[in-house]
Amino acid sequence: MKEYKSVCPYDCPDACGLIVSVDNNKVISVRGDRAHAFTRGTLCPKMAHYEKVIHSPLRLKSPMKRVGKKGIGEDQYTRISWDEALDAIVNNFKETIDTYGSESILRYSYAGTMGVIQSPAADYFFRCIGATDQDRGICSPAKQAGFRSVYGDTLAIKPQEAQHSDLIVLWGINATATDVHILHDVNIAKKKGARVWIIDTHKTYTFSQAHEHIYVKPGSDGALALGMLHIIHRDGLADIDFIKKHVQGYDELVKEVLPDFTPGKAAEICGVSVERMTEFAHAYAKSKAPFIRLGSGLSRYGNGAMTCRAINALPAVVGAWQYPGGGLLSSASGSPAKRLMPMIKLGEMLINPEGTKVHSLYIFSSNPAITAPDQNVVRRGLMRDDLFTVVHERFFTDTCKYADIILPATTSVEHDDIYNSYGHYTIGTGYKLIEPIGESRSNWQVIAELAKRMGLEDDFFDLSEKDLIEQIVRTSSRISKRDQELILNGEPVEMTVPESYKMDFKTPSGKIELYNPQDVEPLIRYMPPYGDNAPFWLINGNDIRILDSSFCELDFNDPELMKLRIHPEDAKMYNINDGAEVEIYNDRGSVKIKAYYDDEVQRGTLVTLGVWWQSQSSDPHVAINALTAARPTDQGWGSTFYDVQVHIRNLL
């Protein structure tokens, strides 16, 4: 048995370092790499048995074509060869281009793998043939827009800085489920005496890690931040010297926004009492080096970017950036297309297209029949008889049910790739460790072959995955020759950041911009979320066992994966007994689910966890995204998965 270093490929800010044990072309076990600068040998429960994913009996092993009806299941497909599958795709693409134009072809992908090679593998190919492209707006672009509005291109703070903080705020992040390795640094800080606060809409797995907890109403985090800014200014807790030297727009904020945004008004909006808000504001402002780890969930409301701008203002006003351990971590982290499709608008584009109608759809590294918003519309679009759909996948997901051609995909140990992270500064390679399961092929291998069959004479498509890794590493001016060798040899390498990077504010003014004249909304203010004409906010939080719809292929030995939590007093108002089956619904759809009493759920909110496959859903016909909307965030065309309100009724 041999051991190899690798990297977790999933959509998580941590990009864990792995040690993979291989024997006789089989992965025996996976454990954390203690030499990794950030993940330090720890794996989340999802990856602890990655070998079960790799060698699952449910893996797709050969190409298939549909011979029956769409939307039913695997029995509607028959096995074919790779040549047959690729010929069918190429023939369709060529015919579609000739008949309807190249923009009637759409590729749809996201973060089924985060590899630098495999994730964007199809970008250049589809641009070469003139297909409609997509944005990357289904996760948290509003959060990124909020950070950029205030800090421009300033480098993100290293997460390990949290070790040196005396007050840590985990704001809207369920770190135990989505960023577990930051807890290494949190615990180091706690041992030194740091206090930890958690701000969230509901009790999460992470609550036990904190000393203090604050519940906010969904979509109202910006109001809490503005209320804190009012208190900090009113009580003389702002760092005026730092503000004069490094902040633009504080005077405008004080004169034009804060007088009208009193703690009382903020409390009314966010549900946090004035007393508790004041306590939090004082604790934050009086600490020397407060550190905020900002999650993505609070950016998935209609006001997401503005909310993040308001929270990003806090470390600026108290001067946190000038001290070791102080600051805020949001995220660390070619040629234009002919036509760009917002990812969140997939269903709408398939049903009610503006301009050229989509006739060919190529899907990889994504499962939109489950993960895309406004699920009923998406599935209706995928059911179109005149839509030719290709799905490149590892498992027969719900999206595969709508495919005309299904292609088997590799896992991360069956191809070569290189990985960076959006949560820290470590780079690592994940080389091919076993031969592909069945006839599986990687994203890049399939795209390179399609390019040749489409007649694209470009040497780029002749490059192997290892060639591409070599080019990426060797041509980077930011990676030293020594580190290049280490990375190419499979070692995780943490990039070096300049000593004064935290105070090097890369904005047009060279200062932190609370007033940004380039922004559509130059000054930070409060914006309400969209909401719906319904009484309950629906919170779909993280289930620690899965990541979006990844890992749903595993056996969880749980007959009720999807359940609803409701405050007992709310349940009694609607005559709902503990464990009763209910229907939650709005204008977009309805979902049947069992409701359970939970005193720790806020009044007026309902909580469910996880984005489960249809076979695991509480409702035989739909999953949770039947209730979500395709409305964009205020900036960035981000998704608003959490900006959802529903009605509830008893089905007994």
Side-chain angles (χ1 to χ4, degrees):
M1 186 169 67
K2 292 186 177 180
E3 292 187 338
Y4 304 90
K5 294 198 174 189
S6 191
V7 182
C8 174
Y10 288 94
D11 183 11
C12 168
D14 291 10
C16 293
L18 308 178
I19 302 293
V20 183
S21 299
V22 178
D23 187 34
N24 195 25
N25 200 46
K26 184 174 182 180
V27 174
I28 305 302
S29 64
V30 178
R31 70 176 193 274
D33 181 3
R34 293 186 178 182
H36 192 284
F38 179 60
T39 60
R40 292 161 281 200
T42 302
L43 289 185
C44 71
K46 296 179 281 291
M47 281 298 288
H49 292 287
Y50 187 37
E51 72 277 2
K52 292 183 180 180
V53 172
I54 297 164
H55 298 291
S56 168
L58 300 179
R59 283 284 299 275
L60 293 171
K61 295 182 175 65
S62 65
M64 295 188 289
K65 73 172 181 180
R66 184 172 58 84
V67 293
K69 296 180 179 180
K70 283 188 178 183
I72 297 180
E74 203 163 352
D75 59 351
Q76 304 296 301
Y77 292 82
T78 188
R79 179 175 177 172
I80 58 174
S81 69
W82 268 102
D83 279 335
E84 290 176 284
L86 294 170
D87 284 345
I89 296 168
V90 169
N91 291 338
N92 174 270
F93 281 3
K94 289 181 176 179
E95 182 180 343
T96 299
I97 291 170
D98 290 343
T99 307
Y100 304 106
S102 62
E103 289 184 357
S104 61
I105 299 174
L106 170 67
R107 67 104 175 156
Y108 185 99
S109 68
Y110 196 57
T113 175
M114 293 296 287
V116 176
I117 308 300
Q118 307 299 342
S119 181
D123 291 7
Y124 182 55
F125 166 72
F126 281 104
R127 289 170 187 174
C128 284
I129 66 173
T132 292
D133 205 352
Q134 61 171 82
D135 69 357
R136 291 287 186 175
I138 207 162
C139 186
S140 55
K143 177 180 164 184
Q144 298 161 20
F147 181 86
R148 284 196 304 271
S149 179
V150 179
Y151 296 102
D153 295 324
T154 302
L155 289 177
I157 189 173
K158 290 178 64 173
Q160 294 95 324
E161 281 252 353
Q163 298 177 19
H164 309 294
S165 173
D166 55 343
L167 183 140
I168 296 172
V169 184
L170 301 176
W171 199 320
I173 184 168
N174 183 5
T176 302
T178 62
D179 188 20
V180 67
H181 302 91
I182 191 70
L183 297 179
H184 283 294
D185 306 295
V186 170
N187 287 328
I188 290 171
K190 283 164 69 175
K191 288 178 181 178
K192 296 177 181 177
R195 300 286 291 178
V196 179
W197 292 67
I198 283 181
I199 319 299
D200 219 317
T201 57
H202 65 293
K203 184 178 181 180
T204 69
Y205 303 113
T206 312
F207 266 47
S208 62
Q209 301 290 328
H211 303 97
E212 305 284 350
H213 312 96
I214 290 180
Y215 290 109
V216 293
K217 293 180 181 178
S220 70
D221 299 77
L224 174 59
L226 284 172
M228 291 175 66
L229 288 167
H230 182 109
I231 293 165
I232 289 168
H233 173 74
R234 181 197 68 192
D235 296 349
L237 299 174
D239 188 331
I240 301 302
D241 288 339
F242 180 87
I243 290 169
K244 287 178 178 178
K245 293 177 183 176
H246 301 291
V247 179
Q248 171 178 287
Y250 183 69
D251 289 342
E252 290 90 335
L253 185 72
V254 168
K255 292 175 183 176
E256 299 179 32
V257 177
L258 297 186
D260 294 328
F261 218 89
T262 64
K265 181 176 180 180
E268 189 177 318
I269 295 170
C270 71
V272 180
S273 71
V274 171
E275 293 75 20
R276 187 63 165 156
M277 189 184 303
T278 303
E279 180 185 9
F280 180 34
H282 276 247
Y284 179 81
K286 290 176 180 177
S287 59
K288 182 177 181 180
F291 181 98
I292 296 175
R293 179 59 170 108
L294 190 61
S296 297
L298 51 80
S299 74
R300 296 183 187 132
Y301 293 85
N303 58 4
M306 187 62 79
T307 291
C308 291
R309 284 176 70 185
I311 298 171
N312 272 283
L314 287 166
V317 169
V318 300
W321 295 103
Q322 61 194 312
Y323 303 110
L328 179 148
L329 176 59
S330 180
S331 297
S333 65
S335 61
K338 289 181 68 176
R339 182 169 68 147
L340 189 68
M341 180 211 75
M343 282 188 79
I344 59 173
K345 294 291 185 181
L346 175 63
E348 187 176 311
M349 192 166 190
L350 294 178
I351 295 294
N352 299 308
E354 291 186 10
T356 306
K357 189 175 184 179
V358 174
H359 285 275
S360 298
L361 178 62
Y362 188 95
I363 301 171
F364 70 98
S365 296
S366 190
N367 183 15
I370 285 293
T371 61
D374 211 352
Q375 185 177 93
N376 288 323
V377 175
V378 170
R379 291 184 178 182
R380 202 158 13 112
L382 293 171
M383 280 294 291
R384 276 176 37 207
D385 290 333
D386 63 338
L387 177 68
F388 177 82
T389 301
V390 180
V391 178
H392 188 195
E393 253 295 358
R394 299 169 306 152
F395 299 95
F396 194 91
T397 64
D398 290 282
T399 304
C400 288
K401 298 175 185 177
Y402 302 90
D404 294 280
I405 298 291
I406 299 173
L407 307 174
T410 48
T411 65
S412 63
V413 297
E414 299 161 60
H415 58 239
D416 300 312
D417 214 334
I418 184 168
Y419 303 85
N420 53 20
S421 164
Y422 60 92
H424 55 80
Y425 285 101
T426 300
I427 295 174
T429 47
Y431 289 123
K432 178 181 174 181
L433 303 180
I434 64 172
E435 290 302 312
I437 301 296
E439 300 175 45
S440 302
R441 296 187 185 180
S442 71
N443 295 345
W444 175 249
Q445 290 170 330
V446 175
I447 291 300
E449 182 63 26
L450 285 175
K452 294 169 188 174
R453 291 179 182 236
M454 287 290 290
L456 298 181
E457 297 180 359
D458 192 318
D459 293 343
F460 178 64
F461 296 111
D462 293 327
L463 297 174
S464 70
E465 292 155 345
K466 281 192 175 179
D467 292 335
L468 292 167
I469 293 171
E470 180 94 13
Q471 282 196 10
I472 290 168
V473 174
R474 293 296 189 197
T475 58
S476 174
S477 60
R478 298 178 60 185
I479 305 176
S480 69
K481 294 295 183 183
R482 176 183 175 277
D483 285 347
Q484 288 179 13
E485 295 301 328
L486 289 171
I487 292 168
L488 292 174
N489 286 330
E491 294 294 328
V493 174
E494 185 177 36
M495 295 295 95
T496 301
V497 294
E499 187 174 341
S500 60
Y501 79 106
K502 281 173 57 182
M503 294 291 289
D504 183 10
F505 303 117
K506 297 184 183 299
T507 61
S509 66
K511 295 183 176 184
I512 300 169
E513 297 187 345
L514 305 188
Y515 178 86
N516 182 345
Q518 308 301 317
D519 207 296
V520 176
E521 292 274 356
L523 191 58
I524 294 170
R525 65 180 181 87
Y526 178 72
M527 293 173 57
Y530 290 117
D532 293 290
N533 186 22
F536 288 95
W537 284 98
L538 177 65
I539 300 167
N540 184 28
N542 306 108
D543 191 296
I544 201 168
R545 296 169 290 185
I546 60 174
L547 179 62
D548 296 323
S549 75
S550 294
F551 298 99
C552 285
E553 66 274 1
L554 296 175
D555 183 7
F556 299 103
N557 193 29
D558 183 347
E560 199 171 71
L561 294 168
M562 203 173 142
K563 54 180 73 75
L564 193 72
R565 291 155 53 199
I566 183 172
H567 193 281
E569 294 303 316
D570 283 340
K572 290 171 185 175
M573 287 178 61
Y574 288 81
N575 297 315
I576 296 170
N577 293 325
D578 190 27
E581 186 175 28
V582 299
E583 181 181 29
I584 50 177
Y585 62 98
N586 56 26
D587 292 341
R588 293 174 292 276
S590 67
V591 175
K592 295 176 182 177
I593 190 169
K594 285 187 178 179
Y596 293 92
Y597 293 176
D598 189 336
D599 289 320
E600 294 182 332
V601 170
Q602 286 195 85
R603 297 290 303 274
T605 65
L606 305 171
V607 178
T608 184
L609 304 180
V611 182
W612 298 95
W613 285 359
Q614 186 59 64
S615 60
Q616 299 157 324
S617 174
S618 58
D619 190 305
H621 304 295
V622 292
I624 197 65
N625 275 320
L627 300 164
T628 57
R631 302 174 296 203
T633 52
D634 48 338
Q635 290 187 46
W637 277 93
S639 62
T640 53
F641 282 116
Y642 294 174
D643 201 333
V644 178
Q645 287 178 281
V646 295
H647 301 273
I648 189 169
R649 60 180 165 224
N650 200 330
L651 290 179
L652 295 180

